[in-house]
Amino acid sequence: MPAPRRGWPEMETPGMETITLVEAARRAALQEMRRDPSVWVLGEDVARGGLFGQYRGFLDEFGAARVVSTPISESVIMGAGLGAALVGTRPIIEMRIFDFVMCAMDELVNQIAKVRYMFGGQARPAVVIRMPHGIWRNSAAQHSQTLESWFTHIPGLVVAVPSTPADTAGLLVSAIRSDDPVLFFDPKNLFPVTGPVAAEIAPIPFGQARRARMGGDLTLVTWSAIVPQVEEAAAMLEARGIAADVLDLRTLWPWDEEAVVASVARTGRLLVVHEAVTTGGFGAEVVARVVERLGPAGLRRVARLGQPRVPVPFAPPLEDQLKVDTAKIVAAAEALMRD
Amino acid sequence: MPAPRRGWPEMETPGMETITLVEAARRAALQEMRRDPSVWVLGEDVARGGLFGQYRGFLDEFGAARVVSTPISESVIMGAGLGAALVGTRPIIEMRIFDFVMCAMDELVNQIAKVRYMFGGQARPAVVIRMPHGIWRNSAAQHSQTLESWFTHIPGLVVAVPSTPADTAGLLVSAIRSDDPVLFFDPKNLFPVTGPVAAEIAPIPFGQARRARMGGDLTLVTWSAIVPQVEEAAAMLEARGIAADVLDLRTLWPWDEEAVVASVARTGRLLVVHEAVTTGGFGAEVVARVVERLGPAGLRRVARLGQPRVPVPFAPPLEDQLKVDTAKIVAAAEALMRD
Amino acid sequence: MSRLGDNRARLVALYTTMCRIRAFEDTALAAHRAGEIPGPLHVSVGQEAVAAGICLNLRRDDRITSNHRGHGHALAKGAGVAGMMEELFGRAGGHCRGKGGSMHIADFSVGMLGANGVVAGGIPIAVGAAQGLKLLGRDSIVACFFGDGAINRGPFLEGLNWAALYRLPVLFVCEDNGVAAFTATASVTAGPGVAARAESLGVPATSVDGNNAAAVDAAAARLVAEIRGGGGPQLLHATTYRITGHTSTDPAAWRNPQDVEAARAAEPIGRLRERLLAEGVPMAELEAIRGEAMAEMAEARAAALAAPWPDPAAAWEDVQDAGAAQGMA
Amino acid sequence: MSRLGDNRARLVALYTTMCRIRAFEDTALAAHRAGEIPGPLHVSVGQEAVAAGICLNLRRDDRITSNHRGHGHALAKGAGVAGMMEELFGRAGGHCRGKGGSMHIADFSVGMLGANGVVAGGIPIAVGAAQGLKLLGRDSIVACFFGDGAINRGPFLEGLNWAALYRLPVLFVCEDNGVAAFTATASVTAGPGVAARAESLGVPATSVDGNNAAAVDAAAARLVAEIRGGGGPQLLHATTYRITGHTSTDPAAWRNPQDVEAARAAEPIGRLRERLLAEGVPMAELEAIRGEAMAEMAEARAAALAAPWPDPAAAWEDVQDAGAAQGMA
Ligand SMILES: Cc1ncc(C[n+]2csc(CCOP(=O)(O)OP(=O)(O)O)c2C)c(N)n1
Ligand SMILES: Cc1ncc(C[n+]2csc(CCOP(=O)(O)OP(=O)(O)O)c2C)c(N)n1
Ligand SMILES: [Mg+2]
Ligand SMILES: [Mg+2]
């Protein structure tokens, strides 16, 4: 990852600025912590700025009570976030790397997701759980997982999966302001990617897809770290005379069913692309829902492209074999056009 | 739950006998522990026979070294099972109630599911993880979950979801003999249901659906605790002139794609019914796969029926509102026949 | 007049709370056996002194977290009885609108942040609540109730270490009744016990006879004052005995009858009653308290039984704000 | 002749193992910086005495579990160097066929049951392995290596309680280098420390200067004998210092330079070398050992670099038996 930019946001001129995704995320959290003193962050090494610099400078500005570096105690990192939300604060729970959330699943699934309902509305677990996820630098099976689909299956949770700096910033602002518990999947492989972000970051509503490209031949639905490759594939397809309608869902719960259904109603062809394993991935839900809503008669072809049902291997040639990439996306889209 | 039958298996006459599902599960584990001294069981209260009597009499027969009542330490119950498998024993890891597996997810997902692959085949995590799951006696949100679809998304795991005494027994035998880690979802609401089971329990291979009813009008795909209600619904549909082909998948990984695809190719109509929340449930995978394989042109209508994306409430009228039942299955099937 | 002086009111308050808890539990058990209460039911008969003694020292703006056996804690913290009983019955007027039941009873209006169906599940929540309160500059504290079974789960270690580290205002209360479900905890708990574990994690520990309400009260008074004064977390290890089974359907046939006999003799309500009588409090007064408690709970039972069920539409409410409608399809 | 007598061979063995670990780590670091090794890399420069001292007392049929920093443990337990280096390089001849890499290094053929990418992840596995071995009637034991950061995770409590309860043959080894990632563990660890925690869980604890290989060896010899004799689990708390950063890409700029200076002076290889020289072991012999270790690792690096990548088809193998083909579609 290239070194993050130096300048502090307050020294920048207002308006749009081109910054990295990780810096966009940093500024979004910074803005919200300045706005609302009940927002705070807890997690390992956050006082030092976080593993990826997401919280650089926070300790100096907000102090150790609001920027809490914790022991390696994932159950309590997660559960303490919940407890603190129950008395009216708004914690950002930093999990360091997604895979470690496995050490805090009771607190997440049995407690956070259920307290509001179980207690008949008395509780509002207004937490954001940040989980940098996905394949990144050959980190192998225990540090590369993308299990976002799991959490769409759990009532009570919001699932955000941004892919651009602006979306990351805007969705993180929404997440922090939301009274719902939001699982925020930082796309760690895209942290160094740059893009324009406004000086004053406006919240982006949950459940609205971003149309990355307009086209009438097939609908490509995607999200998170694989989006740039889907966009690249779409450009290559264009050159081959295939016009793809590309929708970046941005959030998986809620998700923009209307935009997807409308697009597929036009194109008749749907390809869902995600980094996660295909089996049981959220692509299945997208396909099932579209087929339920449009009926088989409204469709020409549908397919999903994800990782085979294999753990992520360490060796680069093995990882390359399995992971989704631009060439595979192009090939899948071309196959979908044949019938 | 009615009291389990009294007689000990060795006192019964050989051949088929009608016993409860929980007793069938007990006999399957008993048979395998007698056959193979490397099989043992660990979990809370197992020495006392288990929460549901699944291990009644085991302590007396096999002793405390092979029937290990543990502290309330789910992480180690799960992880110790793995460690013991790595040195050549074959543990049955009893999780008491599915929902507590949330306290052992790192051990299950990051360790058990991945060791064989991550270590290049050196490890064989031959464990069975038993998790009585599902809605049962108004146990509310933290004791009623059905998240079997999660584990189909995790490479390395086998997922068994039986619904009859005979299938429970036969699949448990396969699970114990398997070198793969098998997640065995005991359908706790069906523990008192009775059915015929052979005195000598033969293994049932993974990935073969059971055809519960033959029909040509629509295909009903289902599994686990909801199966009896699907069968009841199919009988009611029959009375109304609709012949359903009912497939009980029995295992979700591997799953009997061929049987489902062949059936839908005949009927053109597919309804997947599960107790779990519809969104992100395994029904999405079944639908997506069938549409991918047969193409939209090969289908008339598809639908899923599950629980809405709401936690399981305590009060009986609320639980009844949300949970899948025979009437809802009939209604969904009838809706599917209209077009 | 009794010789107790100022202490009289306090002891009578303890007695009253204990009688109310016992009456609630007995009533709930009877209602469950009569089929009026669905779902699992865990009662705390014999353990009343711990809840009563701790909560007498808490303010309304203090918080508690509890476990699967939370009726006594809730009642002692001031939760409304009608709402509690209706919750057990699954009725619309329950504190959780019938969605939680016995195992998830909560009354945020009095600082009761919830029972919990997961053993040790309340520990991380309690330390977080304390951290939040501290961040907000409040001087409220949190009492965290859990059983002797919970000390073998990881969150016990993580939570105590955490509370000590940040000097959080938490009183950890281990209600040690010697059993976890159907297993004697001594048979699954290595080492010298919960107090030593707490001390090894930087949390000072005190042991108390948990069947002596006055002793629990005295210990709690001291610890709560220290905690509220900024002294950081404390653990109170209260030994007690649950006379009834694990759940309402457990006849506790696995218990040693002699133990039960001894326990009945040592149960906290009878003990405090003996003391109050000896100190000159009139029998009639104590009988009236007990009678009132029983009447209160009988009335709550009758009211709950007659109360309306939740509107089926409520099943769909309070899942979440974003995307709630989408999930109903 | 040196005055060491019988001890000479033992100390030279310790020295040799430490030199080999150091050479392996230095070589791996250089290869990583040269872009030859992908993925994250955690080396144990300065901590060699712990791995060497413990594993000298283990038999081949004993087992170890390790953490994210496992090269030294693996090497000391007898893992083949070629297979280790190839694993780091992601090559076909790696112990894990290139699928694990540094963080998941394992060599079951010598009882090395795996490094682990999850802090404390090896603890439950170790106690289970010990329980399995006991069930099988073996007299093998398990050594479980983890860092000072791991003692704040729940599995530490659950695992030690468990091992004590069933009197399992486990030697818990806490390699205390004072840091966890970028955080001083003293700043996130309440109470008197790991030994007290262990004792509170029924596991006897011993502390040792983890930079003194002979002291680690002596302590391990005693503890391993007790454990193998059926005495139940033990914990060894070994204080040490890691000279390099958390990962290969961490320059450890956050360290206090004086500390690093002091640590270099106290590092275990130099210390043992001084002692051996003082005892009369010739410099040439020690230099030869170091030189051979360096040559061995340089050769392993060159071999790994030249070794074939895994066949892409291997990516699809060893997922599971049932349903493997179905998941490849
Ligand atoms: C994590 C978890 N494991 C197991 C259970 C099942 N369970 C419910 S209560 C209980 C016993 C708890 O014992 P203790 O904490 O001592 O409380 P007590 O019932 O004695 O009041 C068990 C094992 C659970 N609810 N949660
Ligand atoms: C459960 C979990 N949380 C966080 C991490 C990230 N992480 C990797 S190593 C490490 C520090 C571990 O410190 P320690 O156990 O003392 O070992 P050391 O690195 O000092 O050898 C952390 C926090 C992880 N791998 N697993
Ligand atoms: Mg108890
Ligand atoms: Mg360390």
Side-chain angles (χ1 to χ4, degrees):
Chain A
M1 197 178 57
R5 293 171 49 99
R6 280 294 149 104
W8 293 91
E10 56 271 42
M11 294 190 268
E12 312 280 353
T13 45
M16 297 302 252
E17 198 191 340
T18 297
I19 55 175
T20 61
L21 191 147
V22 70
E23 172 65 7
R26 191 184 76 83
R27 292 192 192 178
L30 191 64
Q31 169 182 304
E32 294 307 296
M33 284 186 66
R34 285 178 179 161
R35 194 185 53 76
D36 181 351
S38 71
V39 179
W40 60 294
V41 56
L42 72 166
E44 297 155 17
D45 288 320
V46 296
R48 183 186 165 271
L51 190 58
F52 301 94
Q54 313 97 301
Y55 307 103
R56 191 169 39 84
F58 281 41
L59 179 67
D60 288 347
E61 180 162 347
F62 303 111
R66 287 179 69 196
V67 183
V68 179
S69 266
T70 69
I72 309 174
S73 301
E74 278 76 9
S75 290
V76 173
I77 296 173
M78 187 71 80
L82 170 57
L86 294 185
V87 299
T89 71
R90 307 181 77 86
I92 299 171
I93 301 170
E94 172 58 55
M95 291 306 297
R96 190 179 191 108
I97 295 277
F98 165 74
D99 311 71
F100 308 147
V101 86
M102 294 297 146
C103 306
M105 287 297 281
D106 172 55
E107 292 73 18
L108 175 50
V109 171
N110 287 336
Q111 315 291 342
I112 288 176
K114 296 181 176 37
V115 282
R116 177 168 166 186
Y117 190 81
M118 214 161 51
F119 296 159
Q122 296 180 78
R124 295 278 165 135
V127 298
V128 182
I129 301 154
R130 291 187 65 180
M131 300 170 296
H133 79 153
I135 289 179
W136 180 65
R137 295 186 174 185
N138 301 100
S139 300
Q142 285 179 341
H143 286 63
S144 305
Q145 290 172 97
T146 41
L147 299 184
E148 65 275 10
S149 79
W150 275 19
F151 304 98
T152 66
H153 193 45
I154 303 296
L157 300 177
V158 168
V159 179
V161 284
S163 74
T164 69
D167 287 353
T168 299
L171 287 169
L172 188 52
V173 167
S174 290
I176 294 170
R177 295 185 189 176
S178 166
D179 277 355
D180 290 328
V182 180
L183 302 204
F184 196 88
F185 288 91
D186 290 280
K188 66 178 184 288
N189 204 35
L190 302 183
F191 275 159
V193 166
T194 56
V197 175
E200 162 123 23
I201 301 163
I204 296 175
F206 300 137
Q208 297 188 2
R210 179 178 65 86
R211 171 165 275 111
R213 176 181 283 258
M214 200 51 162
D217 292 334
L218 86 162
T219 303
L220 286 177
V221 173
T222 188
W223 56 86
S224 196
I226 201 69
V227 169
Q229 294 185 62
V230 174
E231 295 194 35
E232 193 182 31
M236 291 171 65
L237 290 166
E238 181 93 79
R240 300 180 195 186
I242 300 170
D245 209 38
V246 180
L247 291 170
D248 174 355
L249 289 183
R250 304 202 289 192
T251 60
L252 298 187
W253 198 267
W255 69 282
D256 199 342
E257 226 176 281
E258 300 314 320
V260 173
V261 167
S263 172
V264 182
R266 277 194 292 114
T267 65
R269 289 182 164 86
L270 168 64
L271 175 64
V272 190
V273 181
H274 54 57
E275 185 178 308
V277 165
T278 304
T279 304
F282 194 68
E285 179 65 29
V286 173
V287 166
R289 199 79 192 115
V290 167
V291 179
E292 283 172 331
R293 291 219 16 206
L294 291 176
L299 298 168
R300 305 267 310 259
R301 285 286 295 280
V302 298
R304 295 171 293 162
L305 177 63
Q307 152 124 346
R309 197 171 176 280
V310 178
V312 177
F314 165 66
L318 300 182
E319 198 190 79
D320 290 346
Q321 263 291 300
L322 303 175
K323 74 180 177 194
V324 177
D325 61 21
T326 306
K328 288 174 191 163
I329 300 165
V330 169
E334 288 186 325
L336 203 74
M337 295 309 295
R338 285 180 224 117
D339 49 24
Chain B
M1 197 177 58
R5 292 171 51 96
R6 280 295 149 104
W8 293 92
E10 57 270 39
M11 293 188 269
E12 314 281 354
T13 45
M16 297 303 251
E17 197 191 340
T18 296
I19 56 175
T20 61
L21 191 147
V22 71
E23 172 64 7
R26 192 184 76 84
R27 292 192 192 177
L30 190 64
Q31 169 182 304
E32 294 307 296
M33 284 186 65
R34 285 178 180 162
R35 192 187 52 80
D36 180 351
S38 71
V39 179
W40 58 295
V41 56
L42 71 165
E44 299 155 15
D45 289 319
V46 295
R48 185 184 164 272
L51 189 59
F52 300 94
Q54 313 97 301
Y55 307 104
R56 191 168 39 84
F58 281 39
L59 178 67
D60 287 347
E61 179 160 349
F62 303 111
R66 286 179 70 195
V67 183
V68 179
S69 266
T70 70
I72 309 174
S73 300
E74 277 76 8
S75 290
V76 173
I77 296 173
M78 186 72 80
L82 170 58
L86 294 185
V87 299
T89 72
R90 307 182 77 85
I92 300 172
I93 300 169
E94 172 58 56
M95 291 306 297
R96 190 179 191 108
I97 296 278
F98 165 74
D99 311 70
F100 309 147
V101 86
M102 293 297 146
C103 305
M105 287 298 281
D106 172 56
E107 292 73 18
L108 173 50
V109 171
N110 287 336
Q111 315 291 342
I112 289 175
K114 296 180 175 37
V115 283
R116 176 167 167 188
Y117 190 81
M118 215 161 49
F119 296 159
Q122 296 179 78
R124 295 280 164 132
V127 297
V128 183
I129 301 154
R130 291 187 65 179
M131 301 170 296
H133 79 153
I135 289 177
W136 180 65
R137 296 187 173 186
N138 300 100
S139 300
Q142 286 179 341
H143 286 65
S144 305
Q145 290 172 96
T146 41
L147 300 183
E148 64 275 10
S149 80
W150 275 20
F151 304 97
T152 66
H153 193 44
I154 303 296
L157 300 178
V158 168
V159 179
V161 284
S163 74
T164 68
D167 288 352
T168 298
L171 288 168
L172 188 53
V173 167
S174 290
I176 294 170
R177 295 184 189 177
S178 167
D179 277 356
D180 291 327
V182 180
L183 303 204
F184 196 88
F185 289 91
D186 290 280
K188 65 179 186 287
N189 204 37
L190 302 184
F191 275 159
V193 166
T194 57
V197 174
E200 163 123 22
I201 300 163
I204 295 176
F206 300 138
Q208 297 189 3
R210 179 179 65 86
R211 172 165 274 110
R213 176 182 282 259
M214 205 43 164
D217 293 334
L218 88 162
T219 303
L220 286 177
V221 173
T222 188
W223 56 86
S224 196
I226 201 70
V227 169
Q229 293 184 62
V230 174
E231 295 193 36
E232 193 183 29
M236 290 170 66
L237 289 165
E238 181 96 78
R240 299 179 197 188
I242 300 169
D245 209 38
V246 179
L247 291 170
D248 174 355
L249 289 182
R250 303 202 290 193
T251 60
L252 299 187
W253 199 266
W255 68 282
D256 199 342
E257 225 176 280
E258 301 314 320
V260 173
V261 166
S263 173
V264 182
R266 276 194 292 116
T267 63
R269 289 181 164 87
L270 169 64
L271 175 64
V272 190
V273 181
H274 53 59
E275 184 178 309
V277 165
T278 304
T279 304
F282 194 69
E285 180 66 28
V286 173
V287 166
R289 199 78 193 116
V290 167
V291 179
E292 283 171 333
R293 290 210 28 198
L294 292 176
L299 299 169
R300 304 270 309 261
R301 286 285 296 280
V302 298
R304 296 170 291 162
L305 178 64
Q307 153 123 345
R309 197 171 175 279
V310 177
V312 177
F314 166 66
L318 300 182
E319 198 190 79
D320 290 347
Q321 262 292 300
L322 302 175
K323 74 180 178 195
V324 176
D325 61 21
T326 306
K328 289 174 191 164
I329 301 165
V330 169
E334 288 186 325
L336 203 76
M337 294 308 295
R338 285 180 225 118
D339 49 24
Chain C
M1 271 308 290
S2 96
R3 289 158 292 164
L4 287 167
D6 282 356
N7 229 357
R8 185 188 205 279
R10 204 157 179 96
L11 291 180
V12 168
L14 287 170
Y15 183 77
T16 306
T17 302
M18 291 200 293
C19 285
R20 291 180 70 230
I21 297 173
R22 177 72 57 89
F24 186 92
E25 300 292 43
D26 284 346
T27 306
L29 259 184
H32 196 270
R33 291 192 179 133
E36 296 167 9
I37 292 178
L41 187 82
H42 304 88
V43 299
S44 61
V45 175
Q47 305 185 181
E48 297 85 355
V50 186
I54 300 293
C55 292
L56 189 59
N57 293 281
L58 300 180
R59 303 189 316 220
R60 187 183 175 108
D61 65 344
D62 290 331
R63 309 294 204 279
I64 66 170
T65 66
S66 171
N67 60 0
H68 54 288
R69 202 176 299 287
H71 308 158
H73 309 141
L75 208 62
K77 188 65 177 66
V81 164
M84 284 181 61
M85 196 65 87
E86 280 206 47
E87 191 57 39
L88 266 56
F89 278 68
R91 304 303 164 112
H95 288 302
C96 306
R97 306 177 64 199
K99 286 175 172 168
S102 161
M103 208 158 34
H104 305 297
I105 205 151
D107 184 357
F108 279 48
S109 71
V110 299
M112 161 52 172
L113 299 185
N116 209 305
V118 178
V119 168
I123 296 178
I125 297 172
V127 302
Q131 201 159 13
L133 291 166
K134 197 172 167 180
L135 185 65
L136 294 172
R138 310 277 161 74
D139 72 340
S140 303
I141 77 156
V142 181
C144 172
F145 292 94
F146 51 87
D148 44 327
I151 72 167
N152 290 325
R153 279 207 61 228
F156 173 83
L157 173 142
E158 296 190 11
L160 269 71
N161 178 62
W162 187 288
L165 207 57
Y166 304 112
R167 286 182 79 80
L168 299 178
V170 187
L171 176 59
F172 295 101
V173 182
C174 179
E175 282 181 295
D176 184 353
N177 58 17
V179 286
F182 313 107
T183 296
T185 43
S187 73
V188 289
T189 309
V194 64
R197 290 186 185 190
E199 302 269 1
S200 83
L201 296 163
V203 176
T206 305
S207 290
V208 71
D209 175 355
N211 275 9
N212 179 338
V216 175
D217 175 33
R222 179 173 64 76
L223 298 176
V224 166
E226 281 181 28
I227 294 166
R228 205 183 303 281
Q234 299 271 352
L235 181 135
L236 184 66
H237 174 212
T239 44
T240 177
Y241 191 94
R242 192 185 66 239
I243 292 165
T244 43
H246 172 51
T247 60
S248 60
T249 52
D250 169 24
W254 42 278
R255 283 197 194 283
N256 179 338
Q258 276 146 356
D259 289 357
V260 179
E261 209 48 57
R264 285 202 183 278
E267 67 85 27
I269 300 182
R271 272 173 67 180
L272 183 54
R273 188 184 151 93
E274 292 308 311
R275 173 160 174 206
L276 287 167
L277 289 173
E279 304 271 13
V281 179
M283 168 80 91
E285 182 176 344
L286 298 179
E287 278 305 293
I289 289 170
R290 203 170 69 95
E292 268 163 44
M294 284 166 62
E296 180 190 11
M297 301 310 162
E299 197 180 303
R301 176 182 178 182
L305 194 57
W309 291 102
D311 179 347
W316 310 81
E317 292 165 11
D318 272 321
V319 177
Q320 64 192 101
D321 294 336
Q326 187 169 27
M328 306 306 167
Chain D
M1 270 309 289
S2 94
R3 291 158 291 165
L4 288 166
D6 282 356
N7 230 357
R8 185 188 205 279
R10 205 159 178 93
L11 291 179
V12 169
L14 287 170
Y15 183 78
T16 306
T17 302
M18 291 201 292
C19 285
R20 292 180 70 230
I21 297 173
R22 177 71 57 89
F24 186 92
E25 299 294 44
D26 284 346
T27 305
L29 259 184
H32 196 270
R33 291 194 179 131
E36 296 167 10
I37 291 178
L41 187 82
H42 304 89
V43 299
S44 62
V45 176
Q47 304 184 183
E48 297 84 355
V50 186
I54 300 293
C55 292
L56 189 58
N57 293 283
L58 300 180
R59 305 189 315 219
R60 188 184 175 105
D61 66 344
D62 291 330
R63 309 295 203 280
I64 65 168
T65 66
S66 172
N67 59 1
H68 55 287
R69 202 175 298 288
H71 309 160
H73 309 141
L75 208 62
K77 188 64 177 66
V81 164
M84 283 181 61
M85 197 65 86
E86 280 206 48
E87 191 56 41
L88 267 55
F89 278 68
R91 304 304 165 113
H95 289 302
C96 306
R97 306 177 63 201
K99 287 176 172 168
S102 161
M103 208 159 34
H104 305 297
I105 206 151
D107 184 357
F108 279 47
S109 71
V110 297
M112 161 51 172
L113 298 185
N116 209 305
V118 177
V119 169
I123 296 177
I125 298 172
V127 301
Q131 200 159 13
L133 290 165
K134 196 171 169 180
L135 185 64
L136 294 171
R138 311 278 159 73
D139 72 341
S140 304
I141 75 155
V142 181
C144 172
F145 291 94
F146 52 85
D148 44 327
I151 71 166
N152 290 323
R153 279 208 61 228
F156 173 83
L157 173 142
E158 296 190 10
L160 270 70
N161 178 64
W162 187 289
L165 207 58
Y166 304 112
R167 285 181 81 81
L168 300 178
V170 187
L171 175 59
F172 295 102
V173 183
C174 180
E175 281 182 295
D176 183 354
N177 58 16
V179 286
F182 312 107
T183 296
T185 43
S187 73
V188 289
T189 309
V194 63
R197 290 186 186 190
E199 302 268 2
S200 83
L201 295 164
V203 177
T206 305
S207 290
V208 72
D209 175 355
N211 275 10
N212 180 339
V216 175
D217 175 33
R222 179 173 63 77
L223 298 176
V224 166
E226 282 181 28
I227 294 166
R228 206 183 303 281
Q234 298 271 353
L235 181 135
L236 184 66
H237 175 212
T239 44
T240 178
Y241 191 94
R242 193 184 65 238
I243 292 165
T244 42
H246 172 52
T247 61
S248 60
T249 53
D250 169 24
W254 43 277
R255 282 198 194 284
N256 178 339
Q258 278 147 356
D259 288 0
V260 178
E261 210 47 57
R264 285 202 184 280
E267 67 85 26
I269 299 182
R271 272 173 66 178
L272 183 55
R273 187 183 152 92
E274 291 309 311
R275 172 158 175 206
L276 287 167
L277 289 173
E279 304 271 15
V281 178
M283 169 80 91
E285 183 177 345
L286 298 179
E287 278 306 293
I289 288 170
R290 204 170 67 95
E292 266 163 45
M294 284 166 62
E296 181 190 13
M297 302 310 161
E299 198 179 304
R301 176 183 176 181
L305 194 57
W309 291 103
D311 180 346
W316 311 80
E317 293 165 11
D318 272 323
V319 177
Q320 62 192 102
D321 294 336
Q326 186 170 26
M328 305 308 168

